[in-house]
Every structure is written in structure tokens, then in C-alpha cells.
Amino acid sequence: MNDTSLTLSAISAQLHTQRLGRCGHILSRTDSTNTQIKQRFCEQPEGFILLAEEQTSGRGRQGRTFVSPAGGLYLSLLLHPDLPFDKLSLLTPLAAVAVCQAVEQLCGLCPQIKWVNDVFLGNRKVCGILTESAFGQFAAKPDYSVVGIGVNLNLDRTAHPELAEIAGALADENILLPTRAQLAAAILNAFEPWYDQLLAGNGHELVQAYRNRLNCLHKPITVVSGDATYPAICTGLTDEGNLIVTDEHGQQSVLCSGEIRIRLE
Ligand code: BTN
């Protein structure tokens, strides 16, 4: 690995943001940058970032593990969003769009989004996003939110055979691989303008950008809800980022991300 550049100064040298990524910390090895922000850094100002060279207990959605060996980008961004609950759910789509834009800009590739939180190149996942928020009692808005982003830059499939069929990495593509600092800065640069729009009450363009990158629109999918599964066609996306599906009886449903996931067929 030639990328020895994961320092805050290497990131800030490439940042164009006002607030995001302007302060932070880098750990060499930790359980999970999301967990560490929640335990040790949640009082930090909006835009604080925590990165790790590797994670020993990287976490994904629905209690899954996010395998996080050295070489990947593991970035958690702390926000104190003045957003109501229904808009808060757009932070994950926002991060997915920002990752796509960053990868597009640095690598000339065209990633797509698998609803709700995965970024794909072709049919392989290269990035996962986990957003977590903490609320005080009776609070309508969160004390803080943590947007955790994990990107596979390299992936040693012999060390992780369980990922061989599903996970991809930027290094699999015929590109000049960006450094983790370049990628982190590009993600934050893309994130901030969408975030400012959302704070200003305008999420419409963001949802449109997310919709444009969805890999399941108008395609057959399997909806997985607990132990139940059923086939459907993905027919649209609401302005809240919820998926609209039509089952084989023509019945339309709106899926919220919570416990539901989809499989592309
Ligand atoms: C998923 O695939 O379901 C989401 C994966 C999110 C991984 C990132 S890596 C940085 C942050 N720390 C974690 O433990 N998880 C997120």
C-alpha cells in the first residue's frame, strides 16, 4: 500500500468546506469510529471527523458487521443537525450521493446506489453507510447524528473469502487509485452543499440526485422483511427517500428503510 497520507493536514489541504472536516482525529486501530464518536467525541462541534486506519468491529445496518481491514477509508462525521425526524432520514441518502460524486470526480467511474445505504460499482458493493442519531428525552431534534462511511479501496479477497462474491473495491477498477485523504476530502466537499440545502428546508434536489443513481428503479427485486420475502418491481422513490414497490398482485407499498431490505434480481 503506497497510501501513507491519512493525516488531518492531508485532508484539510484538499477541503473546500466551511465547517465539515475542519477538526477531527485519526486513530490507528479502533473498534468502530461510529462507536468512538458516540462514546468520546459527541460534544465536539458540528463537522468533527473521526477516521481509523482499521476497525476491529466495524458496524453496518441491521446489526451487521462491516469488515474493515487496513487500507480502506473509515470515516465518521459528527453533525448537530437542526432537522426534524422526517428529514433526518435523508442523511444516509445524502452521504450516498456524496460518495458517488467523490468517486466520480476522482476516479471517473459511475457508481450507483443500492437503496438505502450501499454504493455499488457494477454489481459489487464498494461502500456502506451507517447513520446513527441520539435524542434527549422528548426532543424533536437530535442532540447529534453520526454519519459513518466505509469505502473499500483495496480488498484482499484471500483474507476475506466471505466477501469475494459481494464486495468490490476501487482498486479493482482500471484507475489511478485516490489516496484516502483525497477521497475523504472529496466526500466532505460534496456532502456540505447538500447538507446546507437540507438545513435550509430544501431536500428536493437531493432526493432527485439520489433517485437518479438508484440501481433498482423499474427493476425486479425481492423485498425482505424479517423472515418474509416477496417479489416486486421497484416503481419509484418518495420525496422522503422511501421506496415505492408494486407486488405481483399490483398492490403498491411504500417501504421505509428500518427493518426492510431489498435484493436485486
Ligand atoms: C453497512 O454496510 O450496512 C454500513 C457500513 C458502514 C461502515 C462505516 S465505516 C465507518 C463507520 N464505523 C462503523 O463501525 N461503521 C461505519
Side-chain angles (χ1 to χ4, degrees), residues 8-23 47 49 101-102 105-106 181-194 196:
L8 289 178
S9 56
I11 296 172
S12 50
Q14 304 177 65
L15 275 181
H16 310 303
T17 58
Q18 295 294 316
R19 314 183 306 291
L20 305 192
R22 292 293 168 186
C23 59
I49 51 174
Q101 289 179 318
Q105 182 211 328
L106 294 174
Q182 284 173 324
L183 187 57
I187 292 170
L188 295 166
N189 288 338
F191 194 110
E192 191 172 89
W194 290 120
D196 284 342

Side-chain angles (χ1 to χ4, degrees), residues 9 48 67 77 101 111 130 153 260 263:
S9 56
F48 177 91
V67 176
L77 169 64
Q101 289 179 318
L130 175 66
L153 279 96
I260 297 207
R263 265 197 325 255

Side-chain angles (χ1 to χ4, degrees), residues 31-35 50 55 57-62 64-66 68 73-76 117-118 125 127-132 146-151:
D31 50 358
S32 151
T33 51
N34 269 32
T35 304
L50 184 67
Q55 299 184 122
S57 300
R59 296 188 292 108
R61 273 183 74 234
Q62 300 180 338
R64 286 194 288 266
T65 297
F66 188 78
S68 313
L73 177 70
Y74 312 112
L75 162 68
S76 293
N117 67 324
D118 292 336
K125 170 170 169 172
C127 165
I129 295 155
L130 175 66
T131 303
E132 300 177 285
V146 184
V147 181
I149 299 172
V151 185

